Amino acid sequence: MSGAGDRKEREVRRLLAGAARPPVPPDLPARALAHGRRARRRERLWRWALWLPAVAAAVAFGVWACAAEPWAAPPMGTTPPLEPW
Amino acid sequence: MVAEDSGFTAFVAGTAGRLLHVATLLTSEPALPPGANPHAQRLLTAAFGATYARWDRLRDEDPYVYARRELTVRFARAARRFRRGRGGPLSRLTPRERLAVVLRFHEGLYDEQVAALMGLTAERVRALCRHGVGTLRSAPDGTAA
């Protein structure tokens, strides 16, 4: 059973190895390179599109925090009681 | 722009012949005359392009293995378009059978490696190969019977 299977597999291996080989078109490397450059550019663009808003948000928060100082105690609504003289 | 190449052109020159053969077997297009395999060429160009995009971050990974994986994934994604044979030697097989048979018997991967690439169990890959081999043997020349 396994012997017959091996023989069949050998035949298929031979068929694949003996199949006609397609010639590589001379412009294929250049096309691949152009494709790769496009992919890289797209990737870089995505990275910028993700990082830029994040950095802008962080800077905006910093500026707002410095200006508004939300950690400072709010001004009192009432005048403190006058100490007796 | 030549400096950023760092061996990619040499890699393509060295592996394009073999990978184009694989791609043409997968799409079941005829190998000859030249230019009879536009789908295979497109798949391979995209796979090489993805390899170039990752070229500097491949580290210890074999670029050939990476390019072959890209080719496999891209073919599997477009498999529906290749259901009908186009005249190649594996025309009578389904796209999945072609993928399993080519990776197993042409590329010499183990069942488990093929299974990992295709997202199937090893048992399923063995079944695909068995069925594919049987179909090929019933019509060895690949022409419709």
Side-chain angles (χ1 to χ4, degrees), chain A residues 42-60:
Chain A
R42 217 164 28 236
E43 217 171 278
R44 207 164 41 230
L45 222 69
W46 264 113
R47 229 181 355 256
W48 270 100
L50 291 177
W51 273 107
L52 207 65
V55 170
V59 168

Side-chain angles (χ1 to χ4, degrees), chain A residues 1 7-9 11-13 15-17 19-25 28-29 31-33 35-37 39-40 43, chain B residues 1 4 8 12 16-17 20-21 24 31-32 34 37 41 45-46 48-49 52-53 55-57 90 105-106 133 137 140:
Chain A
M1 170 59 202
R7 191 165 46 77
K8 287 186 197 172
E9 287 179 10
E11 276 179 34
V12 171
R13 271 180 226 270
L15 168 80
L16 293 181
R21 293 197 160 251
V24 178
L28 190 132
R31 255 161 42 204
L33 207 59
H35 194 286
R37 290 224 173 92
R40 269 192 189 183
E43 217 171 278
Chain B
M1 283 298 206
E4 66 173 293
F8 178 75
V12 169
L20 187 60
H21 189 209
T24 310
L32 295 167
N37 53 353
Q41 289 183 21
T45 306
F48 273 147
Y52 177 75
W55 191 251
D56 299 328
R57 288 171 291 149
L90 305 185
F105 299 127
H106 183 269
V133 167
R137 292 236 326 148

Side-chain angles (χ1 to χ4, degrees), chain B residues 73-119:
Chain B
V73 169
R74 278 157 203 275
F75 173 74
R77 215 182 290 153
R80 280 157 47 84
R81 268 188 281 153
F82 300 108
R83 231 170 340 187
R84 292 176 59 90
R86 294 165 193 263
L90 305 185
S91 287
R92 296 196 62 208
L93 305 191
T94 66
R96 276 183 155 195
E97 285 169 359
R98 265 179 245 150
L99 200 48
V101 165
V102 167
L103 290 176
R104 182 79 183 78
F105 299 127
H106 183 269
E107 290 297 289
L109 298 185
Y110 294 112
D111 292 329
E112 289 76 12
Q113 293 174 301
V114 178
L117 263 175
M118 294 179 66

